[in-house]
């Protein structure tokens, strides 16, 4: 039995029997882990109000050799979610961000950059950044950290710079110049958004006020790359799209 302590961001919480909960969390060094929070469903549990997804915590847990499921011992909240569980768009986005991490993060593997990305993302949302920009920023980086995002600078085949001409996205997820390939066009404004995400934090990207059509194009591009890697759409993404469409109709 070994004892571990680490900062962690909570991803998912599900009930286990009638007393306990299973918490999935991301840490910088141990990657994604799952642990039992004993007694968390009881009314006067010491975990009460502390297990909201995307909360930043300081976590202590026990681990047994060769067991995937760890046992939580202590959870101290470092940054709770305030905006994220009040507005509909942000509630939907919370599930979507968390599912992407659950899906792409590796168990027990250092995930320092992914942890930093998620932390910066939650921070930006809580600080009131435009969620549409932050969501696109996160999607791009999620794919980039997993080696699934093509370079937005130059053609992967002939290495010419995209500059003013823009690029095309091939069916196998490559960005090519129009001479080297065919596919959906990716214009200079989209490329410059992608390049900005590579060197700036989310709040600075928002200051460049990317237009709605550029954000929509980036979203579609990321969805295509992710789908061709995973083989399907994430459930939380489908729910978010459907709900936002319905809200727009009735609003
Ligand atoms: Zn080319």
């Amino acid at each position: 039995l070994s004892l571990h302590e680490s900062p962690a961001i909570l991803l998912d919480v599900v009930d286990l029997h009638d007393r306990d909960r299973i918490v999935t969390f991301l840490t910088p060094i141990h990657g994604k882990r799952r642990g039992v929070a004993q007694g968390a469903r009881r009314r006067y549990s010491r975990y009460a109000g502390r297990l909201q997804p995307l909360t930043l915590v300081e976590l202590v847990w026990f681990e047994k050799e060769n067991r995937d499921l760890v046992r939580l011992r202590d959870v101290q909240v470092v940054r709770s979610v305030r905006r994220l569980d009040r507005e509909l768009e942000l509630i939907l986005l919370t599930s979507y961000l968390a599912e992407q991490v659950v899906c792409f993060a590796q168990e027990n593997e250092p995930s320092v950059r992914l942890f930093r990305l998620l932390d910066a993302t939650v921070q930006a949302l809580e600080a009131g950044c435009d969620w549409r920009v932050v969501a696109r920023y996160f999607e791009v980086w999620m794919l980039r950290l997993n080696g699934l995002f093509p370079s937005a600078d130059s053609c992967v085949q002939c290495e010419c710079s995209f500059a003013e001409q823009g690029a095309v996205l091939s069916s196998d997820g490559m960005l090519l110049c129009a001479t080297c390939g065919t596919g959906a066009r990716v214009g200079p404004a989209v490329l410059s958004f992608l390049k900005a995400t590579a060197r700036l934090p989310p709040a600075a990207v928002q200051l460049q006020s990317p237009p709605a059509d550029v954000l929509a194009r980036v979203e579609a591009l990321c969805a295509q790359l992710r789908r061709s890697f995973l083989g399907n759409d994430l459930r939380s993404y489908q729910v978010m799209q459907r709900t936002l469409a319905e809200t727009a109709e009735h609003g």
Side-chain angles (χ1 to χ4, degrees):
L1 201 73
S2 58
L3 186 67
H4 298 267
E5 182 170 357
S6 170
I9 298 175
L10 307 181
L11 299 173
D12 186 43
V13 182
V14 292
D15 292 342
L16 174 70
H17 313 308
D18 49 3
R19 291 185 51 222
D20 308 335
R21 291 201 154 107
I22 292 187
V23 181
T24 307
F25 56 94
L26 181 75
T27 69
I29 306 302
H30 305 271
K32 180 180 64 175
R33 307 296 325 247
R34 283 186 340 130
V36 178
Q38 282 177 321
R41 294 193 65 189
R42 292 189 164 171
R43 195 191 299 184
Y44 298 110
S45 157
R46 62 204 165 97
Y47 296 110
R50 296 184 181 187
L51 299 182
Q52 295 272 17
L54 300 191
T55 300
L56 175 66
V57 297
E58 190 63 33
L59 205 61
V60 182
W61 72 90
F62 286 115
E63 220 170 293
K64 260 188 198 159
E65 226 174 305
N66 303 324
R67 288 258 191 98
D68 286 339
L69 205 58
V70 306
R71 187 149 58 85
L72 304 192
R73 207 192 101 172
D74 190 40
V75 178
Q76 294 300 329
V77 173
V78 177
R79 183 186 59 226
S80 56
V81 292
R82 296 177 185 283
R83 265 189 93 210
L84 289 187
D85 65 352
R86 297 225 173 119
E87 295 165 39
L88 174 68
E89 288 90 348
L90 296 180
I91 292 169
L92 295 165
L93 183 59
T94 293
S95 312
Y96 175 46
L97 297 176
E99 191 181 5
Q100 287 179 75
V101 178
V102 168
C103 189
F104 282 102
Q106 300 295 312
E107 281 196 23
N108 243 335
E109 265 189 33
S111 309
V112 177
R113 299 183 78 196
L114 176 56
F115 186 87
R116 249 189 252 150
L117 169 65
L118 185 58
D119 189 38
T121 300
V122 176
Q123 222 172 344
L125 291 169
E126 286 288 347
C129 277
D130 183 349
W131 68 270
R132 293 166 195 84
V133 177
V134 178
R136 304 304 67 96
Y137 183 94
F138 184 85
E139 289 167 331
V140 171
W141 264 107
M142 198 67 208
L143 294 165
R144 200 176 267 148
L145 289 179
N146 284 282
L148 298 172
F149 211 93
S151 158
D153 292 306
S154 54
C155 173
V156 72
Q157 209 144 309
C158 73
E159 292 176 4
C160 76
S161 163
F162 292 136
E164 303 300 305
Q165 293 83 270
V168 297
L169 181 71
S170 68
S171 54
D172 54 352
M174 299 290 177
L175 282 178
L176 300 162
C177 71
T179 318
C180 290
T182 53
R185 197 178 130 68
V186 181
V190 174
L191 291 173
S192 90
F193 176 87
L194 298 176
K195 282 192 263 191
T197 63
R199 57 189 169 79
L200 298 171
V205 172
Q206 184 191 274
L207 285 179
Q208 305 186 338
S209 318
D213 64 318
V214 168
L215 293 175
R217 191 73 190 87
V218 171
E219 179 178 4
L221 190 101
C222 289
Q224 184 188 330
L225 291 171
R226 193 173 58 229
R227 235 181 350 254
S228 66
F229 178 73
L230 297 174
N232 57 358
D233 255 334
L234 294 175
R235 219 185 94 79
S236 57
Y237 183 63
Q238 293 172 305
V239 172
M240 183 167 87
Q241 279 193 310
R242 203 167 49 226
T243 312
L244 291 178
E246 281 168 10
T247 319
E249 240 169 65
H250 297 117

